[in-house]
Amino acid sequence: MKKMWCISEINQQFRERMYDILDLYEKPFDKKNPVIGFDEKPKQLLDDKRKSIPMTPGHCEKYDHQYIRRGNANIFMAVEFKAGKRTTRVTSRRTKRDFAKFMRHLIDRVYPDAEKIHLVLDNLNTHKKSAIYEMYGLEDGDRLVSKIEFHYTPVHASWLNVAEIEIGVMDTECTRRRIPEKEMLRQEVIAWERNRNHQKCKIDWKFTREKADKKLSKYYV
């Protein structure tokens, strides 16, 4: 049995980015400077081709393997893992405009009193400050960008982003099933988000700088 292993050369830039994120995760909780993992999840909208058989006591739901494609959607995920708080938004696409709108929502609506939002994110070409300027212009763009600090994961190391863990939980509890319409997906994700936030579900991150050196140092250049 073979396992896929995908890792770039662990050079100085890789280590600097990794250490930056791990040091950030080590800092104590600070309400004024929230540490947030951000990512997005593509979701294919699927409908049953034949009516499923509902779940009954002692028997799981049964559905046919054939389905009807109803298009695609996107789910933005931002998780403040030490506070047990997540923010989601379902969109039709994940363009620069969609990214910029979600950033403004975080800054102005979710964290209006934050001094600086520390955002951990991957290297997708839409995840840039320039997207915010293109959407909102220089003046408002400066205001928004001044409130956020981007911390990029190393290439091939998006596993350092806590948002991937939260998306995995969302898939298991909510979205890893056939959902035929964007509006239904939106309602389901909102309900899931509210329940998780009500329970203040946190992520207990254990991987530290010291553990990284012990596990990965043989790959260092």
Side-chain angles (χ1 to χ4, degrees):
M1 181 178 179
K2 294 182 179 180
K3 292 185 178 180
M4 183 176 293
W5 174 246
C6 183
I7 189 167
S8 66
E9 181 181 72
I10 302 184
N11 54 23
Q12 183 176 351
Q13 185 191 67
F14 187 107
R15 294 198 302 274
E16 287 176 353
R17 289 189 175 189
M18 178 176 67
Y19 290 152
D20 173 54
I21 291 170
L22 294 178
D23 289 346
L24 190 65
Y25 289 172
E26 283 283 312
K27 291 182 178 180
F29 173 71
D30 183 353
K31 187 176 181 180
K32 290 291 186 180
N33 293 275
V35 176
I36 299 168
F38 167 83
D39 205 351
E40 57 249 310
K41 166 73 177 181
K43 173 64 179 175
Q44 191 174 37
L45 301 174
L46 301 175
D47 201 356
D48 291 326
K49 195 167 186 177
R50 298 173 63 190
K51 189 176 181 179
S52 61
I53 300 174
M55 179 173 55
T56 57
H59 300 278
C60 62
E61 180 186 14
K62 298 179 179 66
Y63 58 91
D64 192 82
H65 72 283
Q66 292 186 316
Y67 53 82
I68 303 171
R69 299 179 190 273
R70 299 294 190 191
N72 297 282
N74 173 68
I75 307 169
F76 283 125
M77 167 68 73
V79 56
E80 187 186 1
F81 70 104
K82 290 188 177 182
K85 178 180 179 180
R86 69 277 304 136
T87 303
T88 61
R89 174 170 286 182
V90 173
T91 61
S92 297
R93 300 178 298 170
R94 57 175 188 178
T95 64
K96 287 183 179 181
R97 292 173 62 88
D98 297 307
F99 172 76
K101 287 178 181 179
F102 189 73
M103 290 299 103
R104 185 170 191 168
H105 176 68
L106 284 180
I107 294 165
D108 289 345
R109 302 294 297 276
V110 185
Y111 297 97
D113 299 323
E115 294 175 358
K116 183 78 72 172
I117 295 172
H118 293 271
L119 195 75
V120 176
L121 68 173
D122 64 26
N123 299 273
L124 195 66
N125 62 354
T126 58
H127 297 171
K128 305 296 180 184
K129 294 178 182 179
S130 59
I132 297 174
Y133 283 110
E134 288 177 21
M135 183 68 187
Y136 296 110
L138 184 59
E139 184 176 349
D140 206 19
D142 278 341
R143 179 187 67 83
L144 293 169
V145 167
S146 70
K147 297 281 287 184
I148 195 165
E149 184 172 317
F150 289 177
H151 300 261
Y152 289 104
T153 60
V155 177
H156 297 307
S158 58
W159 48 268
L160 285 165
N161 191 342
V162 288
E164 285 206 348
I165 298 174
E166 192 66 19
I167 286 175
V169 175
M170 180 182 68
D171 266 351
T172 299
E173 297 181 347
C174 179
T175 55
R176 191 177 290 155
R177 58 189 176 86
R178 292 177 187 174
I179 299 177
E181 300 173 351
K182 177 186 168 185
E183 180 56 26
M184 180 180 176
L185 175 64
R186 188 185 71 83
Q187 292 176 6
E188 293 287 325
V189 170
I190 287 175
W192 173 84
E193 175 192 324
R194 286 175 177 169
N195 182 60
R196 289 276 289 175
N197 283 344
H198 178 71
Q199 297 180 52
K200 295 185 178 179
C201 298
K202 302 178 182 180
I203 296 172
D204 187 14
W205 184 268
K206 297 289 190 180
F207 196 64
T208 62
R209 175 193 282 248
E210 290 74 22
K211 290 181 179 179
D213 286 341
K214 184 177 181 180
K215 187 176 183 66
L216 302 175
S217 59
K218 62 182 177 181
Y219 300 107
Y220 293 173
V221 174

